[in-house]
Amino acid sequence: MKNGLNIERERACYKALSAVLRDGAYSAQALNDVLRYSSGEDEFITRLFYGVLEKNITLEYVIDCLVEKRPKHSVFIVLKMGAYMARYMNTPIYAVVDRCVELSKSLGKSGASGFINAVLRKVCDVELPDAEKVGSVEYLSVTYGLPKWLVEKFISEYGFEFTESMMKSDEFRTHIRLGRSVDIKRFEKAIEKYLKSDIERTKYGYYVTHNTLDKLVSSKVLVKNDYAVQSLASAIAVHCYANGLDDSSEILDLCAAPGGKSVYLAELVGGNITACDIHEHRVGLIESYARRMGVRVKAMLNDACVKRDEWVSSFDCVICDVPCSGTGDLRSRPDVLLWRTPEGIRELSALQSRILRTAALYVKNGGRLCYSTCSLLEEENESIVENFLRHNRDFELVNCSVWDSTEALSREKVVLKGLNGGESGKSCGVNGDAVSKNALKLYPHIDGTDGFFVAVMQKKGERK
């Protein structure tokens, strides 16, 4: 290479980004595929890879300001990488240009070298939209990397200020919970040497930095089956499901893979848990997860939309943690919106309703039906539950809050104060809506979690 410039890390990142942006691969899988063969530059590759995905819309805006016509995929990806390094990684512009030009040559795009040089030398000069000067939709879209259609939905449901507060929140941190065999007091004594900024206790576990988790494992403070990486929102949801269950309960988790919620529920209450997925390889993930954490879960292949006669009226609790848009955890999965569309959300909503209707058939009299998503959209949450209850009068909402009275009062004041600026105002009971009052909705900037929604409904009648 010219001047001996080593661009293997840039090539690895380009390969992973190309797999996602051009071929539609899952981000985690694409990154793992290249890190498997990287030469000690994992941190740089990971930061650049996820940074470009998270800021994709912002980077496209910057580049569009500098070109008359968008370049082809390969050159466009190289420009996004360069723009991210220059604007967000404080890499000197001469180094950005040198590396991206060499990268393009290694990809057989030598003819684009002059174009790449010219564009990247100006990427730091582009100003992002100002909230005072342009429409709020464009400002939020470009500043926080959201498609305009989603910004419009959020503003309609939550108002401008609440939406921006949600987007500002940096909730993507590694959260772990400890297995039931761990002595909490001994663990907390062992971690006293770590700084507060590296480990933060939560209601059901700990936020840790990636490096700190590595140290805890390498120093044997934690061993493999001592802990599970599970988002705080997911852990909170499991506590909502667990109300009223015990070791004799028959529990069905219809959309369980990779198994985190089923496994945690088994640790909390025991019970006879059947955990399902529609894909065989994901059933295997549930089995391996349960095995690692030392709990008993029956994993099986099943289509959540298709009725199984043998399951009708057989379960004390049926959980529908349904496929959703993922709009509640965009920081941890920045590729989730690359292929989402308003039409796609409507299709998801129809699927969610079908799953919920089928799941209701399996609930015993007096049993519970739990519905949850990692979405912040009313279309996938309150509207689904409201429509279900309208057509299923044998079910009624129960309050599923996990907060004590002091926490609940404090939190509700903050949420309502923010939501009163929204147009719809339905979330969290601004209009006295029953679903909003009884369901649990988590917000990144208020709860320090991913966005999440949980509603619990009880089937009328005496439990046998």
Side-chain angles (χ1 to χ4, degrees), residues 175-437:
H175 185 266
I176 62 171
R177 62 169 186 79
L178 302 184
R180 55 188 175 181
S181 62
V182 178
D183 184 322
I184 301 294
K185 290 184 178 179
R186 176 181 287 181
F187 172 75
E188 294 203 336
K189 185 173 182 179
I191 64 173
E192 285 178 357
K193 63 180 179 180
Y194 295 101
L195 297 175
K196 174 70 174 174
S197 59
D198 293 329
I199 298 180
E200 177 187 345
R201 188 172 186 173
T202 70
K203 194 174 184 73
Y204 300 120
Y206 303 83
Y207 277 123
V208 299
T209 64
H210 182 73
N211 288 339
T212 298
L213 182 56
D214 283 345
K215 289 176 185 175
L216 292 173
V217 174
S218 63
S219 63
K220 302 223 178 333
V221 173
L222 290 175
V223 296
K224 194 172 183 180
N225 61 348
D226 277 346
Y227 74 98
V229 175
Q230 183 168 21
S231 75
L232 179 55
S234 175
I236 290 172
V238 175
H239 281 266
C240 291
Y241 307 154
N243 285 333
L245 300 179
D246 58 34
D247 194 45
S248 65
S249 299
E250 295 290 338
I251 303 165
L252 175 63
D253 189 348
L254 278 174
C255 309
K261 295 184 180 69
S262 290
V263 168
Y264 190 24
L265 194 58
E267 293 181 35
L268 287 178
V269 302
N272 300 310
I273 300 178
T274 302
C276 309
D277 196 83
I278 195 171
H279 300 293
E280 191 166 355
H281 73 282
R282 288 173 63 81
V283 173
L285 294 177
I286 301 171
E287 291 172 334
S288 62
Y289 201 146
R291 194 161 47 246
R292 180 172 76 84
M293 298 304 293
V295 297
R296 180 171 50 88
V297 170
K298 179 184 177 182
M300 63 179 292
L301 194 67
N302 179 67
D303 184 340
C305 292
V306 178
K307 177 185 174 185
R308 295 179 74 111
D309 291 334
E310 68 271 28
W311 284 355
V312 172
S313 301
S314 296
F315 294 92
D316 299 291
C317 177
V318 179
I319 299 163
C320 308
D321 187 48
V322 295
C324 71
S325 64
T327 51
D329 58 357
L330 299 178
R331 294 297 177 266
S332 56
R333 295 193 298 164
D335 61 326
V336 76
L337 289 178
L338 290 174
W339 320 117
R340 293 278 185 240
T341 63
E343 295 74 26
I345 300 297
R346 285 193 287 273
E347 290 173 4
L348 275 171
S349 297
L351 173 64
Q352 291 156 356
S353 290
R354 286 200 303 274
I355 292 173
L356 188 58
R357 288 195 302 269
T358 305
L361 300 173
Y362 305 145
V363 182
K364 294 178 180 179
N365 286 344
R368 291 193 170 188
L369 176 61
C370 303
Y371 177 84
S372 58
T373 76
C374 54
S375 170
L376 287 166
L377 295 176
E378 185 178 297
E379 187 176 351
E380 299 180 84
N381 296 326
E382 292 91 344
S383 294
I384 298 289
V385 174
E386 287 169 2
N387 185 62
F388 172 81
L389 291 171
R390 194 176 301 121
H391 295 92
N392 294 271
R393 299 293 184 178
D394 53 338
F395 281 87
E396 57 188 358
L397 278 166
V398 296
N399 189 284
C400 65
S401 177
V402 296
W403 317 112
D404 62 32
S405 57
T406 304
E407 287 177 305
L409 181 61
S410 173
R411 178 185 180 278
E412 193 72 1
K413 284 182 178 179
V414 175
V415 173
L416 292 178
K417 181 180 179 182
L419 289 177
N420 277 325
E423 292 178 16
S424 73
K426 290 188 72 176
S427 300
C428 280
V430 176
N431 285 342
D433 161 73
V435 175
S436 300
K437 281 183 175 179

